Amino acid sequence: MKVSYNWLKDYLEIDMPWEKVSEILTDIGLEVEGIEHTESVKGGLKGLVIGEVTFKDKHPDADRLSVTRVNIGSEEELNIVCGAPNVAQGQKVVVATVGTMLYPSEGDPFKIKKGKIRGKVSEGMICAEDEIGIGSSHEGIMVLPSEVKIGTPASQFFKVEKDTVFEIGLTPNRSDATSQLGVAKDLAAALKINYNHSGKVNVPSVDGFKVDNHDLPIEVEVENTEACPRYAGVSIKGVTIAESPEWLKKRLRSIGVATKNNVVDVTNFVLHELGQPLHSFDADEIDGKKVIVKNLEEGSTFTTLDDVERKLSQEDLMICDGNSKGMCIAGVFGGTKSGVKETTKNIFLESAHFNAISIRRSSTRHLLKTDAAKCFEKGSDPNICAFALKRAALLIQELAGGEIASEIVDIYPNPIGKNQIDVKFSHVNRLIGDELSQEEVRNILAAMDIKILEENGDDFKVAIPTNKVDVTREADVIEEILRIYGLNKVTIPSQVKSALTYGQQPDPFKIKNIIGDYLAGNGFHEMMAVSITESKYFKDILPVEESSLIYINNTSNMHLDVMRPSMLFSGLEAIQRNQNRRQSDLKLFEFGRTYIKEEEKYKEQEHLTLYVTGQRYKESWLNTDKEQVSFYTLKTFVNNVLARLGINGYQESGLESDALGLGIRYHRGPKSMVEFGRVKGKLSKAMDIKKPVFYADFNWDMILRSLKNHKIDFVELNKYPSIRRDLALVLDTSVTFSDVEAIAKKTGKKLLKNIDLFDVFADESKLGEGKKSYAISMIFEDPSKTLKDKDVEKVVNQMIQNFEQKLGAVIRK
């Protein structure tokens, strides 16, 4: 939000450097995130001076051009070629000298250069009002009053106003500071308490408001009082739509608001002055001379001011005419038909209080983030509607003429009163961490217009102004007191107190970092996806029970409508996005949670997921074969993650699920530790992923549980030599290496340290139908002595016997 220092001075009598004001605003919770020094006219009219045309003649080679000489108070007069039809000798004009940068009302800035125009030297430019950015007319040059002194800077003549604009990072709970006057009141409270300021705020008066006649009554009916608790309006007859005066344009421009015409500018001015959005309707376009506040049927169409036809939701609150035709999306955006135009003569002025949630949903649904919607979303003050209406009506009368042609219609069936909160003085000091006297607390509350209704010793009750919709608890009141008291005034304790704490073991954060570091060091990138996703994935692509999905009401991104029951699609979306940007060789991992509903309970589970796709190694002149990742690439990383954590003693089973083709499941009993394999082709195709994707899903909750009583044993390095033996086994194709490994480890017991599969051979012409050959290597060690061949041969012969009996193996010799 932008706050103009000059605008603040309209309400506060302060003469303080802008740096100090910025410091105070930040101290009271209105953090200044940026500062801009502006001028009421872009460029400040620098280089422009007032001159007098002393000579004019027709250009010899161009009938529409004039050759002039202009006295700007320097030693020599300037020769200027001018194309304006109204230039004449003796005129006082605005001159842009050579080197001046001009900022026209429309178009890009340009610099004045000395040059020749049709053979005649031109040493500047005589300007029209649109060429220097102070108006829109281009009918001719500006002709100034004859008494203006030659050489007067244009910035001085046009009273260019310099300003400092603070960019405030307004938090969503600060509904009381959505306006220039709201900020001024907060600033005044801080100045009164900490800087001996009077604290007086010059609130504009509306005492001059009066009804002139009853010639233009507009009936109002509010059907949805929940979405519109208060609706006020008044008619103004006989207005003249014109350009706004300079003072009004300066105020709006200073905070980045474009000007349009006197009536629309007044409504924008009051919005930013008071924080109360207004809307002006062309009263002659209101059919039936009746306004109805209601919801229209789902799918109704409405064309907004930007000429976009929008389909309405039945939840969109609409301002309609007597025939129930939409004129405005309430609190968000107006329509093309009923808006104020150049031909408008009569207007109906609206000032209403709308439900913040209703406005936020409509604003988000139609992607219309208007200033009015932003104000209503934070929560407007329901009790300022009539005041704002009178303020705007008086300004419109002042700037556009007209007569107040109706009584104020004010529908407010359930007035919203001030919230009453019980507070303790002792709690104020406890939460703030400093000793404030009761008198100090009373003064701060009074400075913020928070009235103390009653006191009883340590207890007191306060009434909260209705513009502070976020102040609902005792802690909120104390926060308000602290803001004005000043965070910097809180005493820093002279003692540092600490306590011993015992964290969860093993530390989940530390374990995550260990694995994250390992994966990152092996070429993986960590991803962080949102926990909400699209329900269509689990309806059309990977169907799950509808009752297990947890739906959410997401008004910002309506397609993200469920909490994710699986991590899979988060990674597939990331792969698709990267693939579409020519990044197809990927290794990704994510720590995250899944959410499902089981009967009436919600289940939340933590996971670690891995995704690999594309080439195994980075593209390089050394990587000539461009080997692709495979199931075994993924299996290596899965095994290494478990090994890095020292987890062993798990079972291995084959796996085929709705998401994965042939894969593997590591488990302890019925509880899975990790499932991994290749994502089924139909899923990849549905996500428009062209290369195979291999996916691993660790049950991270179970991984952490398995580490709770995990002990690390350190053993001395074996000082005795190891012995290697190789075997070639002919096996049925249904036998897996894990079957071979299990028998070998059970037979070898303490002597077998490692077993590897280093070759697989399959040739039916040599081995027979349904057969394959495994070549395995085995490493034997004994930590207590040097092994002898006969010791190893004994174990190997027992293994061979077991392979033959249990697996039907034939030993190749």
PDB file of all heavy atoms in Angstrom, residues 378-400:
ATOM      1  N   LYS A 378      -9.913  -7.322   3.580  1.00  0.00           N
ATOM      2  CA  LYS A 378      -9.305  -7.156   4.907  1.00  0.00           C
ATOM      3  C   LYS A 378     -10.359  -6.871   5.974  1.00  0.00           C
ATOM      4  O   LYS A 378     -10.099  -7.043   7.164  1.00  0.00           O
ATOM      5  CB  LYS A 378      -8.276  -6.022   4.871  1.00  0.00           C
ATOM      6  CG  LYS A 378      -6.983  -6.393   4.168  1.00  0.00           C
ATOM      7  CD  LYS A 378      -5.984  -5.260   4.246  1.00  0.00           C
ATOM      8  CE  LYS A 378      -4.613  -5.696   3.746  1.00  0.00           C
ATOM      9  NZ  LYS A 378      -4.585  -6.053   2.351  1.00  0.00           N
ATOM     10  N   GLY A 379     -11.538  -6.460   5.548  1.00  0.00           N
ATOM     11  CA  GLY A 379     -12.616  -6.158   6.481  1.00  0.00           C
ATOM     12  C   GLY A 379     -12.819  -4.668   6.616  1.00  0.00           C
ATOM     13  O   GLY A 379     -12.069  -3.998   7.326  1.00  0.00           O
ATOM     14  N   SER A 380     -13.829  -4.147   5.956  1.00  0.00           N
ATOM     15  CA  SER A 380     -14.087  -2.700   6.025  1.00  0.00           C
ATOM     16  C   SER A 380     -14.870  -2.366   7.292  1.00  0.00           C
ATOM     17  O   SER A 380     -15.431  -3.242   7.958  1.00  0.00           O
ATOM     18  CB  SER A 380     -14.863  -2.242   4.784  1.00  0.00           C
ATOM     19  OG  SER A 380     -16.143  -2.841   4.743  1.00  0.00           O
ATOM     20  N   ASP A 381     -14.906  -1.080   7.616  1.00  0.00           N
ATOM     21  CA  ASP A 381     -15.615  -0.610   8.806  1.00  0.00           C
ATOM     22  C   ASP A 381     -17.089  -0.426   8.458  1.00  0.00           C
ATOM     23  O   ASP A 381     -17.445   0.450   7.662  1.00  0.00           O
ATOM     24  CB  ASP A 381     -15.007   0.718   9.273  1.00  0.00           C
ATOM     25  CG  ASP A 381     -15.645   1.234  10.557  1.00  0.00           C
ATOM     26  OD1 ASP A 381     -16.610   0.614  11.039  1.00  0.00           O
ATOM     27  OD2 ASP A 381     -15.161   2.267  11.071  1.00  0.00           O
ATOM     28  N   PRO A 382     -17.989  -1.229   9.050  1.00  0.00           N
ATOM     29  CA  PRO A 382     -19.414  -1.120   8.674  1.00  0.00           C
ATOM     30  C   PRO A 382     -20.045   0.188   9.117  1.00  0.00           C
ATOM     31  O   PRO A 382     -21.088   0.583   8.586  1.00  0.00           O
ATOM     32  CB  PRO A 382     -20.054  -2.309   9.398  1.00  0.00           C
ATOM     33  CG  PRO A 382     -19.148  -2.584  10.566  1.00  0.00           C
ATOM     34  CD  PRO A 382     -17.765  -2.262  10.079  1.00  0.00           C
ATOM     35  N   ASN A 383     -19.421   0.863  10.068  1.00  0.00           N
ATOM     36  CA  ASN A 383     -20.040   2.062  10.631  1.00  0.00           C
ATOM     37  C   ASN A 383     -19.525   3.357  10.026  1.00  0.00           C
ATOM     38  O   ASN A 383     -19.768   4.440  10.577  1.00  0.00           O
ATOM     39  CB  ASN A 383     -19.858   2.063  12.154  1.00  0.00           C
ATOM     40  CG  ASN A 383     -20.623   0.931  12.804  1.00  0.00           C
ATOM     41  OD1 ASN A 383     -21.770   0.675  12.445  1.00  0.00           O
ATOM     42  ND2 ASN A 383     -19.992   0.213  13.726  1.00  0.00           N
ATOM     43  N   ILE A 384     -18.831   3.266   8.902  1.00  0.00           N
ATOM     44  CA  ILE A 384     -18.350   4.480   8.244  1.00  0.00           C
ATOM     45  C   ILE A 384     -19.071   4.710   6.916  1.00  0.00           C
ATOM     46  O   ILE A 384     -18.821   5.707   6.229  1.00  0.00           O
ATOM     47  CB  ILE A 384     -16.819   4.390   8.019  1.00  0.00           C
ATOM     48  CG1 ILE A 384     -16.220   5.791   7.861  1.00  0.00           C
ATOM     49  CG2 ILE A 384     -16.493   3.512   6.835  1.00  0.00           C
ATOM     50  CD1 ILE A 384     -14.714   5.799   7.727  1.00  0.00           C
ATOM     51  N   CYS A 385     -19.976   3.816   6.551  1.00  0.00           N
ATOM     52  CA  CYS A 385     -20.637   3.884   5.237  1.00  0.00           C
ATOM     53  C   CYS A 385     -21.330   5.227   5.004  1.00  0.00           C
ATOM     54  O   CYS A 385     -21.141   5.868   3.960  1.00  0.00           O
ATOM     55  CB  CYS A 385     -21.646   2.742   5.091  1.00  0.00           C
ATOM     56  SG  CYS A 385     -20.905   1.101   5.035  1.00  0.00           S
ATOM     57  N   ALA A 386     -22.140   5.659   5.953  1.00  0.00           N
ATOM     58  CA  ALA A 386     -22.904   6.905   5.763  1.00  0.00           C
ATOM     59  C   ALA A 386     -21.973   8.111   5.736  1.00  0.00           C
ATOM     60  O   ALA A 386     -22.165   9.037   4.921  1.00  0.00           O
ATOM     61  CB  ALA A 386     -23.938   7.056   6.879  1.00  0.00           C
ATOM     62  N   PHE A 387     -20.954   8.129   6.590  1.00  0.00           N
ATOM     63  CA  PHE A 387     -19.997   9.240   6.604  1.00  0.00           C
ATOM     64  C   PHE A 387     -19.286   9.341   5.257  1.00  0.00           C
ATOM     65  O   PHE A 387     -19.152  10.438   4.688  1.00  0.00           O
ATOM     66  CB  PHE A 387     -18.982   9.038   7.727  1.00  0.00           C
ATOM     67  CG  PHE A 387     -17.947  10.126   7.808  1.00  0.00           C
ATOM     68  CD1 PHE A 387     -18.186  11.277   8.553  1.00  0.00           C
ATOM     69  CD2 PHE A 387     -16.740  10.019   7.133  1.00  0.00           C
ATOM     70  CE1 PHE A 387     -17.240  12.298   8.625  1.00  0.00           C
ATOM     71  CE2 PHE A 387     -15.784  11.019   7.195  1.00  0.00           C
ATOM     72  CZ  PHE A 387     -16.037  12.168   7.942  1.00  0.00           C
ATOM     73  N   ALA A 388     -18.818   8.211   4.740  1.00  0.00           N
ATOM     74  CA  ALA A 388     -18.118   8.206   3.453  1.00  0.00           C
ATOM     75  C   ALA A 388     -19.039   8.666   2.328  1.00  0.00           C
ATOM     76  O   ALA A 388     -18.620   9.370   1.400  1.00  0.00           O
ATOM     77  CB  ALA A 388     -17.574   6.807   3.157  1.00  0.00           C
ATOM     78  N   LEU A 389     -20.307   8.262   2.414  1.00  0.00           N
ATOM     79  CA  LEU A 389     -21.281   8.656   1.400  1.00  0.00           C
ATOM     80  C   LEU A 389     -21.455  10.171   1.385  1.00  0.00           C
ATOM     81  O   LEU A 389     -21.464  10.814   0.327  1.00  0.00           O
ATOM     82  CB  LEU A 389     -22.607   7.958   1.692  1.00  0.00           C
ATOM     83  CG  LEU A 389     -23.653   7.948   0.583  1.00  0.00           C
ATOM     84  CD1 LEU A 389     -23.172   7.146  -0.605  1.00  0.00           C
ATOM     85  CD2 LEU A 389     -24.964   7.357   1.107  1.00  0.00           C
ATOM     86  N   LYS A 390     -21.590  10.772   2.568  1.00  0.00           N
ATOM     87  CA  LYS A 390     -21.743  12.232   2.657  1.00  0.00           C
ATOM     88  C   LYS A 390     -20.481  12.947   2.184  1.00  0.00           C
ATOM     89  O   LYS A 390     -20.561  13.958   1.483  1.00  0.00           O
ATOM     90  CB  LYS A 390     -22.057  12.632   4.097  1.00  0.00           C
ATOM     91  CG  LYS A 390     -23.422  12.179   4.575  1.00  0.00           C
ATOM     92  CD  LYS A 390     -23.642  12.538   6.048  1.00  0.00           C
ATOM     93  CE  LYS A 390     -24.996  12.056   6.551  1.00  0.00           C
ATOM     94  NZ  LYS A 390     -25.189  12.375   7.979  1.00  0.00           N
ATOM     95  N   ARG A 391     -19.318  12.415   2.557  1.00  0.00           N
ATOM     96  CA  ARG A 391     -18.045  13.016   2.137  1.00  0.00           C
ATOM     97  C   ARG A 391     -17.955  13.036   0.616  1.00  0.00           C
ATOM     98  O   ARG A 391     -17.606  14.064   0.016  1.00  0.00           O
ATOM     99  CB  ARG A 391     -16.886  12.222   2.739  1.00  0.00           C
ATOM    100  CG  ARG A 391     -15.491  12.546   2.211  1.00  0.00           C
ATOM    101  CD  ARG A 391     -15.018  13.898   2.647  1.00  0.00           C
ATOM    102  NE  ARG A 391     -13.585  14.057   2.400  1.00  0.00           N
ATOM    103  CZ  ARG A 391     -12.991  15.217   2.210  1.00  0.00           C
ATOM    104  NH1 ARG A 391     -13.698  16.349   2.230  1.00  0.00           N
ATOM    105  NH2 ARG A 391     -11.686  15.291   2.018  1.00  0.00           N
ATOM    106  N   ALA A 392     -18.274  11.912  -0.025  1.00  0.00           N
ATOM    107  CA  ALA A 392     -18.190  11.832  -1.481  1.00  0.00           C
ATOM    108  C   ALA A 392     -19.235  12.721  -2.143  1.00  0.00           C
ATOM    109  O   ALA A 392     -18.957  13.401  -3.147  1.00  0.00           O
ATOM    110  CB  ALA A 392     -18.361  10.384  -1.934  1.00  0.00           C
ATOM    111  N   ALA A 393     -20.441  12.742  -1.587  1.00  0.00           N
ATOM    112  CA  ALA A 393     -21.509  13.560  -2.176  1.00  0.00           C
ATOM    113  C   ALA A 393     -21.149  15.042  -2.146  1.00  0.00           C
ATOM    114  O   ALA A 393     -21.368  15.772  -3.124  1.00  0.00           O
ATOM    115  CB  ALA A 393     -22.813  13.313  -1.426  1.00  0.00           C
ATOM    116  N   LEU A 394     -20.570  15.511  -1.051  1.00  0.00           N
ATOM    117  CA  LEU A 394     -20.163  16.910  -0.955  1.00  0.00           C
ATOM    118  C   LEU A 394     -19.057  17.233  -1.949  1.00  0.00           C
ATOM    119  O   LEU A 394     -19.054  18.310  -2.574  1.00  0.00           O
ATOM    120  CB  LEU A 394     -19.706  17.229   0.471  1.00  0.00           C
ATOM    121  CG  LEU A 394     -20.816  17.293   1.532  1.00  0.00           C
ATOM    122  CD1 LEU A 394     -20.215  17.391   2.930  1.00  0.00           C
ATOM    123  CD2 LEU A 394     -21.743  18.470   1.263  1.00  0.00           C
ATOM    124  N   LEU A 395     -18.088  16.322  -2.118  1.00  0.00           N
ATOM    125  CA  LEU A 395     -17.015  16.561  -3.079  1.00  0.00           C
ATOM    126  C   LEU A 395     -17.547  16.578  -4.508  1.00  0.00           C
ATOM    127  O   LEU A 395     -17.113  17.384  -5.339  1.00  0.00           O
ATOM    128  CB  LEU A 395     -15.936  15.486  -2.925  1.00  0.00           C
ATOM    129  CG  LEU A 395     -15.021  15.609  -1.700  1.00  0.00           C
ATOM    130  CD1 LEU A 395     -14.126  14.378  -1.566  1.00  0.00           C
ATOM    131  CD2 LEU A 395     -14.162  16.867  -1.804  1.00  0.00           C
ATOM    132  N   ILE A 396     -18.482  15.679  -4.803  1.00  0.00           N
ATOM    133  CA  ILE A 396     -19.056  15.651  -6.152  1.00  0.00           C
ATOM    134  C   ILE A 396     -19.817  16.943  -6.430  1.00  0.00           C
ATOM    135  O   ILE A 396     -19.713  17.532  -7.520  1.00  0.00           O
ATOM    136  CB  ILE A 396     -19.972  14.418  -6.318  1.00  0.00           C
ATOM    137  CG1 ILE A 396     -19.113  13.139  -6.384  1.00  0.00           C
ATOM    138  CG2 ILE A 396     -20.840  14.541  -7.575  1.00  0.00           C
ATOM    139  CD1 ILE A 396     -19.911  11.850  -6.361  1.00  0.00           C
ATOM    140  N   GLN A 397     -20.570  17.412  -5.444  1.00  0.00           N
ATOM    141  CA  GLN A 397     -21.258  18.692  -5.624  1.00  0.00           C
ATOM    142  C   GLN A 397     -20.264  19.821  -5.868  1.00  0.00           C
ATOM    143  O   GLN A 397     -20.492  20.707  -6.702  1.00  0.00           O
ATOM    144  CB  GLN A 397     -22.106  19.012  -4.389  1.00  0.00           C
ATOM    145  CG  GLN A 397     -23.467  18.333  -4.366  1.00  0.00           C
ATOM    146  CD  GLN A 397     -24.348  18.882  -3.274  1.00  0.00           C
ATOM    147  OE1 GLN A 397     -24.012  18.790  -2.093  1.00  0.00           O
ATOM    148  NE2 GLN A 397     -25.478  19.471  -3.663  1.00  0.00           N
ATOM    149  N   GLU A 398     -19.157  19.796  -5.142  1.00  0.00           N
ATOM    150  CA  GLU A 398     -18.143  20.837  -5.273  1.00  0.00           C
ATOM    151  C   GLU A 398     -17.474  20.795  -6.649  1.00  0.00           C
ATOM    152  O   GLU A 398     -17.221  21.850  -7.253  1.00  0.00           O
ATOM    153  CB  GLU A 398     -17.087  20.655  -4.185  1.00  0.00           C
ATOM    154  CG  GLU A 398     -15.929  21.648  -4.261  1.00  0.00           C
ATOM    155  CD  GLU A 398     -14.834  21.330  -3.249  1.00  0.00           C
ATOM    156  OE1 GLU A 398     -15.142  20.682  -2.226  1.00  0.00           O
ATOM    157  OE2 GLU A 398     -13.671  21.717  -3.487  1.00  0.00           O
ATOM    158  N   LEU A 399     -17.217  19.589  -7.175  1.00  0.00           N
ATOM    159  CA  LEU A 399     -16.431  19.455  -8.410  1.00  0.00           C
ATOM    160  C   LEU A 399     -17.276  19.237  -9.654  1.00  0.00           C
ATOM    161  O   LEU A 399     -16.826  19.534 -10.761  1.00  0.00           O
ATOM    162  CB  LEU A 399     -15.442  18.291  -8.270  1.00  0.00           C
ATOM    163  CG  LEU A 399     -14.490  18.340  -7.068  1.00  0.00           C
ATOM    164  CD1 LEU A 399     -13.562  17.148  -7.088  1.00  0.00           C
ATOM    165  CD2 LEU A 399     -13.704  19.645  -7.062  1.00  0.00           C
ATOM    166  N   ALA A 400     -18.493  18.685  -9.491  1.00  0.00           N
ATOM    167  CA  ALA A 400     -19.312  18.370 -10.660  1.00  0.00           C
ATOM    168  C   ALA A 400     -20.684  19.031 -10.605  1.00  0.00           C
ATOM    169  O   ALA A 400     -21.499  18.822 -11.506  1.00  0.00           O
ATOM    170  CB  ALA A 400     -19.477  16.846 -10.781  1.00  0.00           C
TER     171      ALA A 400
END
